[in-house]
Amino acid sequence: MSSSEATTNGETNKSEGGSDVFHGWLATDATSPMQHGAFTPKAWRETDVDIRVTHCGVCASDLHVLRSGWGETLYPCCVGHEIVGHAVRVGSQARPGIKIGDRVGVGPQGYTCRQADCDCCAAGRENYCPRRVGTYADRYADGSGISYGGFADYCRHDSGSVFSIPAGLASADAAVMLCAGSTVYEPLKEHGAGPKTRVGVVGLGGLGHLGVLFAKAMGCPRVVAFSRSGAKREDALKLGADEYVATAEQEDWAERYVSTLDLIVCTVSGTGMPLQGYLGLLRPKGRFCQVGIPEEPLPSLDAMTLVLNGTSVAFSDSASPGNIREMLQLAAEKGIKAWTQVRPMKEANAAVADMEKGGARFRYVLENPSDDGAKVD
């Protein structure tokens, strides 16, 4: 079978994504605006899927990578790892369950090895695979090329990292859940969030607002949202938070809420956060999980207070494929709806700039027009 064809239910189909030239918004350095242009995706492998992108969320990771905040970025790069669209080309060795025309998505991992000698993949924790390739600005070890993300018309990724989107879950909502949602769902799930777990969520942005939504959907009896100012109090309560704490305005917050929470998920990436104060809110054997990734070191910790309380400090990176599928299904079943602001893909630069200024409530989603120019689902 030629590389521009795929088999669906025994039939051979010519894919509209068969071209090896895609178009998207490309950054060429850390300071210049992105420019729309052509790029060549990784060389086709029969385990790959080409996706016609309909929606792509704008993540804080995109901002960090665009400006080389986490180290020198591999330019030119096309960011975006909250991708939803339709499969237009499916390799003959792609994972079962993906057909041409299916609505599918990709999160932060564009490839994981899934080899028997990989302890992470064998345990279903592909998000920690040491051979993983990021969805964008990363290089494939087999020499097949560079990964490019979803600020584009098409993208190409390994089928093992492509997820089917449940019916009933809007594409814009599903897109932001593939990174922001999965990043908060993973620690909630792994640290036992449920009917007996009192949860704190630090930061009420793209990740944090989904943390509140999922914690309540998982049956947590008390969810407390933390932010610096009171500006988002009303939003937090509408999302379902039981309480809202403005740490820069409530001087006694650390004393008032001491030893009241079992789990804290911290989504902020600023290095000036009152980390020690947050740790004091945990009950004995409580857990603090950091998911925001700062560009500078985190504040120092007082080890004695952690030891005496049996506090655990953990970190988490996105979610395992199993947890992502479970999260998407839970969202569809519970009717969880992210707070998104959908903008045309051509506004990519403006959306990035507005997000950097804190304008998103709570996630910008870029949308490509359909073939006939109509709004896509």
Side-chain angles (χ1 to χ4, degrees):
M1 182 179 296
S2 74
S3 63
S4 63
E5 297 173 335
T7 299
T8 307
N9 295 331
E11 298 181 359
T12 299
N13 297 282
K14 190 77 171 181
S15 160
E16 69 177 282
S19 170
D20 275 340
V21 177
F22 298 165
H23 296 81
W25 290 92
L26 301 170
T28 57
D29 59 53
T31 58
S32 302
M34 295 176 288
Q35 298 292 323
H36 193 265
F39 63 89
T40 302
K42 68 177 288 293
W44 175 260
R45 298 288 185 264
E46 288 301 325
T47 53
D48 289 340
V49 175
D50 279 357
I51 300 169
R52 180 173 64 81
V53 178
T54 61
H55 297 80
C56 187
V58 181
C59 179
S61 297
D62 303 332
L63 278 61
H64 289 294
V65 172
L66 286 170
R67 67 184 180 218
S68 289
W70 290 332
E72 185 62 29
T73 293
L74 185 61
Y75 298 108
C77 77
C78 178
V79 297
H81 60 201
E82 296 182 338
I83 305 166
V84 168
H86 294 92
V88 295
R89 185 183 184 193
V90 180
S92 60
Q93 298 173 36
R95 73 163 178 83
I98 304 176
K99 306 185 302 298
I100 289 177
D102 284 356
R103 195 166 57 119
V104 295
V106 179
Q109 284 83 45
Y111 166 85
T112 56
C113 75
R114 304 189 304 282
Q115 298 299 308
D117 67 345
C118 177
D119 290 342
C120 293
C121 288
R125 298 186 179 275
E126 291 96 322
N127 49 321
Y128 297 110
C129 171
R131 301 165 185 150
R132 67 188 181 274
V133 176
T135 298
Y136 58 74
D138 209 350
R139 194 182 302 275
Y140 287 85
D142 65 358
S144 59
I146 306 297
S147 59
Y148 292 90
F151 285 20
D153 53 0
Y154 293 92
C155 64
R156 174 176 295 167
H157 295 291
D158 181 77
S159 61
S161 296
V162 175
F163 297 91
S164 300
I165 305 301
L169 189 58
S171 293
D173 294 331
V176 302
M177 290 178 188
L178 288 167
C179 176
S182 69
T183 299
V184 293
Y185 186 81
E186 177 88 352
L188 288 169
K189 173 67 184 298
E190 294 301 305
H191 295 299
K196 296 183 178 180
T197 313
R198 287 155 288 195
V199 173
V201 178
V202 177
L204 199 69
L207 276 68
H209 92 284
L210 285 165
V212 172
L213 288 170
F214 278 117
K216 296 304 292 186
M218 296 167 82
C220 298
R222 184 164 178 252
V223 177
V224 183
F226 295 84
S227 191
R228 286 173 295 180
S229 76
K232 298 178 181 178
R233 182 183 305 276
E234 184 176 344
D235 288 340
L237 299 179
K238 287 180 179 178
L239 287 163
D242 298 286
E243 294 185 67
Y244 179 89
V245 178
T247 58
E249 298 175 4
Q250 297 172 236
E251 294 184 0
D252 65 342
W253 67 270
E255 294 77 22
R256 181 178 178 183
Y257 294 94
V258 66
S259 195
T260 58
L261 300 172
D262 302 298
L263 171 64
I264 295 175
V265 177
C266 182
T267 71
V268 301
S269 57
T271 56
M273 65 173 169
L275 179 56
Q276 199 66 46
Y278 290 136
L279 294 171
L281 307 183
L282 290 166
R283 293 161 55 84
K285 292 295 183 180
R287 299 181 179 186
F288 178 95
C289 187
Q290 178 71 29
V291 298
I293 309 175
E295 296 181 4
E296 302 294 335
L298 289 169
S300 60
L301 301 175
D302 179 2
M304 181 61 75
T305 59
L306 303 183
V307 170
L308 294 177
N309 202 43
T311 301
S312 298
V313 177
F315 297 82
S316 182
D317 178 26
S318 186
S320 68
N323 280 347
I324 290 176
R325 286 189 287 269
E326 181 179 282
M327 172 202 66
L328 291 171
Q329 193 58 44
L330 176 67
E333 291 174 357
K334 296 278 189 177
I336 297 173
K337 186 169 180 58
W339 287 22
T340 62
Q341 294 162 278
V342 178
R343 304 174 65 158
M345 183 67 73
K346 64 183 180 181
E347 294 183 10
N349 277 310
V352 166
D354 290 346
M355 184 171 180
E356 185 119 46
K357 292 184 288 189
R361 285 295 184 275
F362 286 103
R363 203 61 151 189
Y364 292 129
V365 178
L366 300 176
E367 180 184 67
N368 277 317
S370 63
D371 291 339
D372 60 5
K375 184 177 177 64
V376 295
D377 292 331

